Amino acid sequence: MNFKKFFAELKRRKVYNVAVTYAVVSWIISQIVTQLTSTFEAPLWVAKMMTVILIAGFPVAIILAWAFEMSPEGMVRTTSDAAKTNPYPPGKKKPLTGKLFIGILVLIIIGQFAFYKFNQNESHADKNEEVSIAVLPLKYQSQDLEKEYLANGAGDAIRVHLSKIKGLRVTPRISVEQYRGTTKTARVIGDELNVAYLLEGSFFMVDNKVLLSVNLISTEEGVQVASKEYNRDYNEIIQVQSEVAKTVAKEISVEISPEAMERIETIPTENSMAYDHFLRGNEFYFKANSLEQKNKEWMQLLDEATVSYNQAIKTDPSFAEAYIGLARVDYKRNLDAAILEDSYLDNVILMANKALELDPNLADAYSVRGLYHTRVYKPHLAVSDSKRALEIDPNNIESMYNLSFVYRNFDLNFRESLETLQKIEVLVHSQEELWRLYGEFAEFYVQLDDVEKEEYHLKKQQDLKPGDIVNFWFTYARTKRMKECIDYIDTHQKEINQYRVSSLAGCYYFGGDYQNAIRYYDAMEQLLQEENFNYAVVIRDSHRFGHTLIETGNNEKGMEMMRRQIQINKRLIELNRPDYGLIYDLVGIYSFLGQKEEALRWMDLFNEGEGWLKYGSVYSLVQIDPLFDSVREDPVFINWVETGGKKLEKARREINTYLEKENN
């Protein structure tokens, strides 16, 4: 076969032109059909059938182009004499064969495609930025109340799946828990949480059958958008939860990327018993985090969570999320209580790494590993893990907070830290979330020793939740406003617990009223024995308790507590777990004890490590701290404090300049 002659014949018979023209026109038709079927909600088979017809028509068009062509006399065979010469007047070409015509069609298609993709991406971005949803606690309708954790677990799973969708803001459980059994309307809840949609529903289980009903509600209109029931065996509940998430995404028109879809559809375990243990562990963990303070009940709940997660792993050793549960529990339990031990948080990193070995796409594993790296002073790894968590789960607020903490405490990059908090502010709107965020803003300005902005954000916290504890007492104490300090505690911390008595002890101590201070330090010691360990008291305040004992005549016990604090602080520094507040405390203890050389040594270490910037609140504290009363006139001490003031002033000026530019 002479291929050169064959291809020349294809060109003469205009087969190439027909093929290109057919492909172009078919593509246009397919786009029109797709738009029309979408607009008129026609069945999917209509578009599929048209695609089949267009594909089948292609070889027919090629055959006809090979055999026939148009002429002034009508259709003629391409082998005839009429076809071999151009039968049209001079300057006129055969129809549908002009290169200009085909070129114009191709340009139209390219233009339309580019316009469509640009608008599609823009509209999806706009939509996804605006779309927000809260998954309310599912109503548990079974009689066995001990199984309510199954309903809570189903709601949590739906919430987690939705959180994986980029651009969709999902309110966390801690913020929606207040609406359990509420009579508030969808519009009111939507306004309070600032969300566009609510997902509510019920969970009913009898024997091994589950009926899960969900309703999607538009909060703006206060009307139901969609409703669906899932009647399945309990061992299918994992698949059902991902189905709900996909249905919700479709109804509210948010696009799920292929990566997010894969994660949503991933089954964490095929073993329903392992999943049951896991959900039980999650419930214990959630209840522990909901407590106001760490006490015996808190520790017991974490112990129960540990047992449940271990049972889940024993039932299914490949259940990655159960290992994350253990990592979280150990992080919470050992962060304070085991800080003086060599192992400290070792089990956290082991469990997080095990989870990632089993599934490298678990945002929570990266998140808890990032927290671990922060606490063991590996900031570069903390940043890497936190950013990876946010790539997988854009709603992982915990990782954003961790990034903000690392930026300001390790890198001294206050602007980056503040920008991260501002990003969180865009994402969160519920009362619970904002309360925490304003607390973080307050901590940011505490570090800069900007008392005005610190108080502003503490006030915003207090306005949101008047009944909750806000750290106002320390602000009042270190700025020598003792009456306001005590009045605030009496008004807002009425319950007798470790927080109240330790706060009152601090107020009186910094005010120089040692007689009242010792009353509350003694009460705090009694509560510690009754309730359990408290980091702030046992690790951080032994020296102030000791100082108060010395001032009230108990020199022996007071000196014992002073020595205890020195040992604790030096042990933490030896283990590479210091914060610069501990070094500041050593300066204060040695100053009080009259050991000037030791005090100077720790002053130098504090300066070298940029302690004034990493623990900024001590600048205002040192002005009134009783431990430094004996050295206030010392030139070295004066110079030390002035150095800190200049560094903080420079940092505040840079942040204020940034904020002014932002506001303009």
Side-chain angles (χ1 to χ4, degrees):
M1 182 177 180
N2 189 330
F3 284 101
K4 187 175 181 180
K5 185 177 179 181
F6 173 72
F7 288 121
E9 191 65 13
L10 285 176
K11 184 177 180 181
R12 183 187 72 80
R13 300 186 187 205
K14 308 301 181 185
V15 174
Y16 293 134
N17 293 30
V18 170
V20 172
T21 304
Y22 186 92
V24 169
V25 173
S26 295
W27 191 86
I28 293 174
I29 292 172
S30 68
Q31 293 302 302
I32 293 171
V33 170
T34 300
Q35 292 298 320
L36 289 176
T37 53
S38 175
T39 302
F40 294 103
E41 298 184 351
L44 187 60
W45 64 263
V46 174
K48 289 182 177 179
M49 180 63 71
M50 181 57 68
T51 302
V52 170
I53 292 171
L54 292 172
I55 292 172
F58 183 74
V60 175
I62 297 300
I63 292 170
L64 290 175
W66 176 265
F68 301 98
E69 72 172 34
M70 287 293 297
S71 76
E73 290 80 22
M75 294 291 294
V76 297
R77 292 187 65 84
T78 52
T79 54
S80 66
D81 293 336
K84 290 180 180 178
T85 59
N86 185 9
Y88 293 90
K92 185 175 181 181
K93 294 186 176 182
K94 297 179 182 181
L96 296 178
T97 61
K99 290 184 176 61
L100 178 62
F101 174 75
I102 294 174
I104 290 172
L105 281 178
V106 170
L107 287 174
I108 289 172
I109 289 172
I110 292 172
Q112 192 222 7
F113 179 77
F115 179 78
Y116 171 74
K117 290 300 290 182
F118 174 79
N119 281 325
Q120 182 189 47
N121 291 338
E122 191 177 59
S123 64
H124 276 305
D126 291 344
K127 277 184 181 179
N128 286 5
E129 284 176 6
E130 295 174 355
V131 178
S132 52
I133 188 169
V135 181
L136 299 183
L138 297 175
K139 296 175 184 176
Y140 182 68
Q141 296 183 324
S142 301
Q143 293 183 344
D144 187 358
L145 296 180
E146 292 185 0
K147 294 280 188 178
E148 187 173 7
Y149 66 89
L150 297 175
N152 295 335
D156 283 341
I158 295 168
R159 199 175 291 113
V160 168
H161 287 321
L162 290 171
S163 294
K164 296 170 184 175
I165 302 172
K166 187 174 183 179
L168 177 61
R169 176 167 57 81
V170 184
T171 305
R173 178 180 172 184
I174 194 168
S175 297
V176 300
E177 194 64 26
Q178 60 186 307
Y179 300 106
R180 186 179 292 275
T182 186
T183 57
K184 291 183 178 180
T185 66
R187 285 184 177 179
V188 171
I189 298 173
D191 286 341
E192 292 179 355
L193 297 179
N194 193 23
V195 292
Y197 294 94
L198 296 179
L199 187 70
E200 63 172 21
S202 61
F203 184 98
F204 177 76
M205 183 173 180
V206 57
D207 296 329
N208 199 42
K209 292 287 185 181
V210 172
L211 177 62
L212 175 63
S213 301
V214 292
N215 303 311
L216 182 65
I217 302 169
S218 167
T219 58
E220 182 179 354
E221 299 170 4
V223 297
Q224 183 174 288
V225 175
S227 178
K228 194 163 185 179
E229 287 189 351
Y230 302 85
N231 194 344
R232 307 286 179 84
D233 290 337
Y234 175 66
N235 56 17
E236 297 176 33
I237 191 66
I238 300 175
Q239 293 95 322
V240 169
Q241 291 157 174
S242 62
E243 287 179 32
V244 173
K246 287 186 287 186
T247 299
V248 169
K250 182 179 178 181
E251 291 291 343
I252 62 180
S253 301
V254 290
E255 184 179 18
I256 306 178
S257 69
E259 295 82 7
M261 182 65 77
E262 182 180 351
R263 291 165 192 152
I264 290 171
E265 292 179 341
T266 298
I267 303 300
T269 177
E270 299 285 353
N271 191 307
S272 59
M273 185 60 70
Y275 193 65
D276 187 283
H277 289 309
F278 171 71
L279 293 184
R280 191 188 293 266
N282 283 351
E283 194 67 11
F284 287 128
Y285 180 78
F286 178 79
K287 288 179 179 177
N289 283 344
S290 300
L291 293 177
E292 185 178 84
Q293 65 175 356
K294 298 171 183 177
N295 52 29
K296 287 182 179 178
E297 182 187 357
W298 176 80
M299 186 63 78
Q300 287 168 359
L301 286 167
L302 291 184
D303 288 343
E304 293 278 10
T306 300
V307 170
S308 295
Y309 289 136
N310 278 322
Q311 287 176 330
I313 291 169
K314 184 178 180 181
T315 308
D316 180 3
S318 64
F319 191 178
E321 290 184 13
Y323 291 98
I324 299 175
L326 284 178
R328 283 172 161 174
V329 168
D330 283 348
Y331 180 81
K332 288 285 185 182
R333 178 166 46 203
N334 296 322
L335 183 60
D336 298 339
I339 195 170
L340 296 174
E341 298 176 7
D342 288 328
S343 58
Y344 188 35
L345 300 174
D346 285 0
N347 200 50
V348 175
I349 191 68
L350 288 173
M351 294 298 102
N353 283 339
K354 180 62 178 177
L356 289 170
E357 283 177 20
L358 293 167
D359 185 348
N361 289 313
L362 290 172
D364 286 338
Y366 288 107
S367 180
V368 73
R369 199 170 72 172
L371 292 171
Y372 163 83
H373 284 135
T374 297
R375 296 301 171 182
V376 297
Y377 286 73
K378 295 180 180 178
H380 60 293
L381 294 177
V383 169
S384 175
D385 278 337
S386 297
K387 287 185 175 180
R388 178 60 181 144
L390 287 165
E391 287 175 9
I392 298 169
D393 176 6
N395 286 278
N396 199 302
I397 302 296
E398 203 65 53
S399 291
M400 291 188 187
Y401 281 124
N402 195 34
L403 283 173
S404 178
F405 182 88
V406 171
Y407 290 146
R408 73 175 186 263
N409 284 280
F410 292 97
D411 301 340
L412 296 180
N413 189 337
F414 292 103
R415 176 170 172 173
E416 190 80 18
S417 176
L418 183 59
E419 285 177 348
T420 304
L421 291 179
Q422 289 172 328
K423 289 176 184 176
I424 299 173
E425 191 170 21
V426 173
L427 293 174
V428 302
H429 296 281
S430 72
Q431 185 185 61
E432 194 74 36
E433 292 171 308
L434 285 171
W435 188 88
R436 178 185 179 184
L437 177 63
Y438 293 144
E440 290 291 330
F441 271 116
E443 285 298 315
F444 176 87
Y445 288 111
V446 164
Q447 193 164 330
L448 289 176
D449 222 323
D450 188 330
V451 177
E452 183 180 346
K453 289 189 176 69
E454 173 192 344
E455 285 194 56
Y456 170 78
H457 286 96
L458 289 174
K459 180 68 166 56
K460 293 185 80 168
Q461 263 194 304
Q462 194 69 69
D463 290 344
L464 272 176
K465 298 172 68 176
D468 278 32
I469 295 173
V470 173
N471 208 25
F472 251 125
W473 82 266
F474 184 58
T475 308
Y476 291 137
R478 74 179 202 275
T479 51
K480 209 70 174 180
R481 289 177 283 173
M482 298 307 148
K483 184 178 186 306
E484 290 171 85
C485 185
I486 294 164
D487 288 348
Y488 175 80
I489 295 169
D490 283 340
T491 303
H492 297 283
Q493 296 176 224
K494 294 181 180 180
E495 183 182 350
I496 298 176
N497 57 27
Q498 293 176 35
Y499 281 125
R500 174 177 168 81
V501 295
S502 63
S503 299
L504 283 169
C507 275
Y508 285 114
Y509 172 79
F510 288 117
D513 185 346
Y514 299 114
Q515 293 300 324
N516 273 314
I518 197 64
R519 285 173 48 215
Y520 289 104
Y521 275 126
D522 286 340
M524 184 171 58
E525 189 175 41
Q526 181 65 32
L527 283 174
L528 281 171
Q529 294 172 0
E530 295 174 1
E531 295 182 351
N532 212 339
F533 180 91
N534 184 304
Y535 170 75
V537 177
V538 177
I539 298 295
R540 298 302 300 268
D541 282 342
S542 294
H543 62 304
R544 300 200 184 280
F545 191 178
H547 182 200
T548 306
L549 286 165
I550 292 170
E551 294 290 348
T552 54
N554 193 340
N555 192 70
E556 183 178 351
K557 185 177 179 181
M559 289 301 298
E560 179 186 337
M561 297 195 78
M562 284 279 189
R563 288 191 290 269
R564 168 188 167 82
Q565 190 69 61
I566 291 172
Q567 290 173 353
I568 287 172
N569 289 15
K570 288 185 175 180
R571 172 64 174 162
L572 289 170
I573 292 166
E574 175 190 325
L575 293 170
N576 194 31
R577 298 169 195 160
D579 63 47
Y580 282 86
L582 298 173
I583 297 177
Y584 166 87
D585 288 338
L586 286 172
V587 178
I589 293 169
Y590 285 119
S591 296
F592 171 74
L593 295 175
Q595 299 181 30
K596 187 174 180 179
E597 287 188 9
E598 273 297 290
L600 290 175
R601 186 168 76 86
W602 290 105
M603 276 186 193
D604 289 341
L605 288 171
F606 190 80
N607 278 338
E608 289 170 12
E610 298 292 355
W612 293 107
L613 295 174
K614 292 179 178 177
Y615 206 71
S617 63
V618 297
Y619 179 73
S620 55
L621 180 63
V622 76
Q623 315 293 330
I624 58 99
D625 194 334
L627 291 173
F628 294 96
D629 286 348
S630 63
V631 297
R632 294 202 181 278
E633 304 303 320
D634 190 307
V636 176
F637 173 78
I638 293 171
N639 181 64
W640 182 58
V641 175
E642 286 179 349
T643 299
K646 290 175 183 177
K647 289 184 176 183
L648 285 162
E649 178 59 33
K650 181 182 177 182
R652 285 194 297 269
R653 190 163 54 246
E654 289 174 356
I655 285 298
N656 288 334
T657 300
Y658 161 73
L659 290 173
E660 286 171 7
K661 288 180 179 178
E662 284 285 295
N663 293 332
N664 293 333

